[in-house]
Amino acid sequence: MSFSALAVFCGSKPGNDPLYTQQAQQLGRLLAQHNITMVYGGGGKGLMGAVADAVMEGKGKVIGVIPEILLEWEAQHKGITELIVVPDMHVRKRKMYELCDAAVILPGGNGTLDELFEMLTWNTLNIHDKKIFVLNTNGYYQHLVEHMHMMYKQGFLYEQPELRITVVNTPEEIF
């Protein structure tokens, strides 16, 4: 599978398992090696910063998209290729979708889940048909994937979750 730009959705915190940061850095190195532009939320800390730093260290290209309100709070990354400042979170997500041709979801919190489910919803409604990968680091998303299967079995999804998402356990599986 080849992409020119991959949106990366993940936590602005590192989480408690060191493997989260290790796999984020691994993903960043792979993006740089494959000459794939990283599109992400523009933050400089947590998993967001770890992926962006690894891409930049590998001489890759990183485009951050950050809403005005988060400029101070999210500590925008000052060492990336390009930082696009937008008015709000809705514009941020739309801009990120426009700039990428696929997305990967790393461990994260509410914002990461919001981004995952908005992409899935848009995909289901044929607003876009971008490939969505879920990086299930150390089983982080296992319960969520099981819940999505239950949603399907209970008649709330139109199709099996695997038709919209690809669950992987390592960054290499994306490539």
Side-chain angles (χ1 to χ4, degrees):
M1 212 162 278
S2 71
F3 311 110
S4 60
L6 185 69
V8 177
F9 298 105
C10 58
S12 61
K13 294 179 71 175
N16 296 331
D17 187 337
L19 188 59
Y20 301 146
T21 298
Q22 291 167 16
Q23 285 198 340
Q25 292 167 331
Q26 196 174 8
L27 175 64
R29 288 190 292 272
L30 287 165
L31 289 171
Q33 286 170 15
H34 290 277
N35 200 30
I36 298 170
T37 298
M38 174 185 167
V39 177
Y40 84 121
K45 57 187 182 175
L47 297 185
M48 294 173 77
V51 183
D53 288 344
V55 174
M56 294 306 295
E57 287 166 13
K59 308 289 186 242
K61 182 178 178 184
V62 177
I63 300 173
V65 183
I66 193 165
E68 293 169 357
I69 194 168
L70 294 183
L71 277 176
E72 298 281 328
W73 188 77
E74 199 163 9
Q76 73 271 18
H77 202 300
K78 293 178 172 41
I80 58 175
T81 312
E82 182 181 358
L83 183 68
I84 300 169
V85 180
V86 295
D88 58 47
M89 293 294 283
H90 297 291
V91 175
R92 175 200 218 180
K93 289 186 289 186
R94 179 178 291 277
K95 185 67 173 172
M96 289 176 70
Y97 303 157
E98 289 171 0
L99 293 172
C100 76
D101 39 40
V104 61
I105 315 299
L106 277 63
N110 293 331
T112 304
L113 291 177
D114 173 54
E115 292 152 345
L116 165 62
F117 282 107
E118 184 161 312
M119 275 206 88
L120 279 171
T121 301
W122 287 21
N123 211 330
T124 301
L125 296 173
N126 294 315
I127 294 171
H128 70 72
D129 63 350
K130 298 174 191 232
K131 185 89 173 155
I132 302 169
F133 297 95
V134 174
L135 181 56
N136 192 26
T137 304
N138 243 0
Y140 183 80
Y141 283 115
Q142 197 57 46
H143 287 97
L144 182 63
V145 171
E146 290 170 12
H147 184 75
M148 292 169 75
H149 281 109
M150 197 240 328
M151 292 163 60
Y152 176 74
K153 288 176 189 166
Q154 293 299 317
F156 290 103
L157 297 181
Y158 291 96
E159 60 202 3
Q160 291 278 356
E162 291 81 14
L163 295 176
R164 297 289 172 187
I165 63 170
T166 301
V167 179
V168 297
N169 295 305
T170 66
E172 290 87 0
E173 292 175 57
I174 296 167
F175 303 90

